[in-house]
Amino acid sequence: MTHRCSAELGQDEGVSSAAAWPDLAEILDTAHVVALPLATRFRGIDVREALLFEGPEGWAEFSPFTEYDDAEASSWLAAAIEDSRMPRPAARREVIGVNATVPAVAAASVPSVLARFDGCRTAKVKVAEPGQVLADDVARVRAVREAMGPEGRIRVDANGAWNVDEAEHAVHALAEFDLEYVEQPCASVEELAELRRRVKYMGIPIAADESVRKAADPLAVARAGAADLLVIKAQPLGGVRRALEIVQEAGLPAIVSSALDTSVGLSMGVALAAALPELDYDCGLGTASLFTSDVVDPPLTPRTGLLTVGRVTPDPALLAEHAASVARRQWWLDRVRRCYAVLRG
């Protein structure tokens, strides 16, 4: 991934390089590390950790998942630095439609999950969970369709867990539920291209997520004709501006999604969605509803299926209430130091 380092940060919107690039101490001095509990286990975790810090433009979030190495995580730090020190791009819309997110829960739990997402007309359903089988996915998606009715929109996300044959079989098994699209059904660009060729006659689009945000070349999926849509995330792609550039260069419709951010990070994703020239799909930015608590009061959760564009400020009491342990705080501070060194190097 190409990082936006000091010179690049300094060239946008008249902000000088010296003003745009902070000393490491400026980040660490305002840093808060929080641990937010999830209502339902998601992505293999029950608690989401994040480091938040404040800059001249407001609060920003650095929260790469713990298994990511420093090279990959440094893109997330570049995004946070940009967001804390530079004005966000001009918004083209004031509110963003968002989807509900349904973890890989049992079908019986689907109604209670959907109830956390006020007014959402679209649901993204996690499938291909390790330890589960296709029948579990079918039952979950069927429960979502029954809960949302025929007007609801359903998309599924496999996080690259299927091979091409498995994905083709799954698409056929789930097609009866009128899928809006299938997100990252296979891991590689070559597999996505092959699957797209096989199922194109069905009229179910293929969306790429990991093939964009985790790739050395985020445009490879577009060049290969491997996807109909891009799922983009502000933190992993190095910030709002870089994500906008990728969408422009790829020439494909985009959906903005979260990386299970706190409300601080979600507000950056909302800013990205607001700045896109075209936005024809509900975005995966309602994931604060998966937490039992957040750092912002009220949290950035959907109301009538919408999020309002704008920055948010953490509540000091909530920062204190959800402060991570001393050991975890030190782990995150050390990680910032290493990622900062990667960017500066």
Side-chain angles (χ1 to χ4, degrees), residues 263 266 288-289 293-303 307 312 318:
S263 286
L266 285 174
S289 295
S293 186
D294 206 328
V295 294
V296 173
D297 186 21
L300 196 59
T301 53
R303 297 291 182 267
L307 293 178
V312 299
L318 290 173

Side-chain angles (χ1 to χ4, degrees), residues 12-13 15 57 82-90 240-241 311:
D12 285 304
E13 301 183 15
V15 181
E57 289 293 326
E82 177 188 278
D83 194 45
S84 71
R85 303 186 72 82
M86 297 181 65
R88 289 170 171 173
V240 172
R241 287 168 178 78
R311 288 188 178 271

